[in-house]
Amino acid sequence: MDTLLLKRCWILVSSMKNMDCVVDMLECLCSVDGAEWNQETRGRYFRNLVQRRVTAPELNHLSEEQRTLLKSGNATEEQIKELVDNIYPDGRYPVHAYMQPLLKLGLVKIDFEDHKKLIITERGHQLLEGKITDEEMMIQALTDWKYPRTREDVYDPEWKGYNIRPMMATIAVIEQVNQRDERNGMKPNGITFDEFMVYLMTIYSCGQIDDRVRTLEWLHFTEKKIGKSAHDQKMQEDRGKIMQEFASIKSESVKSYRYGIFNALEKTGLFVIDYPNKRINLNKEKETIYHQLLEKHGCKAY
């Protein structure tokens, strides 16, 4: 089994800390749409980000006058260029965090076969033109999120056994667990953050779904009949066994990935993330939408 499985399966959203300003970032890229993605266009993109106040250069490198100018929002292109070039004379602009989310959401692409040309995709143009909402864009992006990405990848030993759409699997598992909890006389409250980390962040095959659902049903029933300590002990045992299959990753890093995932899932409108009680559940008001998605795409990646 691929020891980088955990990172691969949930890498889509691990760098998406800027999703609240996706449209702003995309608009900043319009001036380089169709151009080669190189040092010059990176610089133009970064200067646009600074001018629109999506990001700012390191303040400790700025004079009080420059800080005031940036905060005013009245800086001209020439002033921004002079300011940025003084801070980054080597042209190493920190644009990675403002580019990766757009690539991962399928809003832009880089055509490496055509001189690394940067192209705003149809989805990107639809978002810019207001033809789709942020929620619709995120649903499309996370529905596309699948492993392996193509049928041909199935024959690559590195991807052997991978055949899942993580968001679809999350919907399927939580819905089935809710149904079973209700049959067992409990309120369908979804699953806890820790349950998500142990039993959903480690799924890589649709064949694992039934087993995870049964385990979560048993855990919830055990907590109801015996208590939380019995639930936590069983989950701790499972975590030790399951995580042996994955690369050694710091617990805090896994939790960071998890919160990135929650941020993305919440933006689809299909999920309710209850941060105070540390639970994730489905949004029943969007039941028709996620049932249509499951019917159309299912959990399998191919």
Side-chain angles (χ1 to χ4, degrees), residues 61-295:
H61 290 292
L62 302 179
S63 67
E64 189 61 39
E65 183 180 354
Q66 289 172 323
R67 294 180 193 179
T68 302
L69 181 63
L70 276 181
K71 290 177 182 178
S72 73
N74 297 321
T76 64
E77 289 185 21
E78 292 75 16
Q79 289 172 320
I80 293 292
K81 186 177 188 309
E82 181 182 1
L83 185 151
V84 169
D85 288 349
N86 286 338
I87 298 175
Y88 305 100
D90 57 0
R92 297 180 67 179
Y93 309 103
V95 299
H96 181 78
Y98 300 93
M99 187 62 177
Q100 284 304 303
L102 302 181
L103 289 167
K104 291 180 177 182
L105 291 170
L107 300 172
V108 301
K109 65 179 181 179
I110 297 175
D111 190 342
F112 289 94
E113 295 182 359
D114 187 9
H115 304 91
K116 295 178 68 175
K117 184 182 292 184
L118 184 141
I119 301 168
I120 296 179
T121 65
E122 180 182 356
R123 182 181 299 161
H125 282 295
Q126 287 180 331
L127 184 63
L128 284 173
E129 295 164 14
K131 293 179 179 177
I132 57 174
T133 64
D134 288 348
E135 282 190 358
E136 290 169 330
M137 177 275 293
M138 190 61 74
I139 288 173
Q140 289 179 15
L142 296 193
T143 300
D144 286 348
W145 181 24
K146 57 187 179 180
Y147 293 86
R149 295 190 178 280
T150 65
R151 177 173 285 278
E152 288 70 26
D153 288 332
V154 177
Y155 305 106
D156 186 332
E158 185 179 2
W159 290 107
K160 189 174 182 181
Y162 290 59
N163 68 346
I164 203 166
R165 295 175 186 266
M167 185 182 78
M168 296 289 97
T170 301
I171 292 172
V173 169
I174 293 177
E175 181 172 54
Q176 290 181 54
V177 169
N178 278 342
Q179 290 170 352
R180 297 190 184 199
D181 283 352
E182 205 161 17
R183 285 200 297 266
N184 290 328
M186 293 175 281
K187 188 176 180 180
N189 281 328
I191 62 178
T192 68
F193 285 7
D194 285 342
E195 288 171 345
F196 179 88
M197 186 169 69
V198 174
Y199 301 109
L200 272 166
M201 284 181 70
T202 58
I203 284 184
Y204 58 90
S205 167
C206 60
Q208 297 172 298
I209 289 177
D210 288 343
D211 178 67
R212 300 298 165 90
V213 170
R214 285 193 297 269
T215 299
L216 286 162
E217 177 191 16
W218 187 89
L219 281 169
H220 292 184
F221 189 74
T222 298
E223 182 174 1
K224 177 187 177 184
K225 292 296 184 181
I226 302 176
K228 192 173 186 304
S229 59
H231 167 284
D232 291 350
Q233 182 179 346
K234 166 63 175 170
M235 194 167 66
Q236 191 66 33
E237 292 172 0
D238 285 349
R239 179 186 300 188
K241 294 175 185 175
I242 292 171
M243 295 303 291
Q244 286 179 2
E245 301 183 44
F246 302 97
S248 178
I249 302 175
K250 291 181 179 179
S251 177
E252 289 307 308
S253 296
V254 177
K255 289 179 181 178
S256 177
Y257 296 159
R258 181 179 66 187
Y259 280 102
I261 295 163
F262 290 162
N263 189 17
L265 294 178
E266 190 172 31
K267 289 184 184 302
T268 65
L270 303 178
F271 298 85
V272 177
I273 313 296
D274 182 353
Y275 289 99
N277 295 307
K278 296 187 176 182
R279 301 192 74 88
I280 172 174
N281 205 349
L282 297 173
N283 183 352
K284 289 293 287 184
E285 294 181 1
K286 300 294 181 74
E287 186 174 22
T288 300
I289 296 176
Y290 59 71
H291 280 171
Q292 288 173 343
L293 288 170
L294 283 172
E295 184 176 349

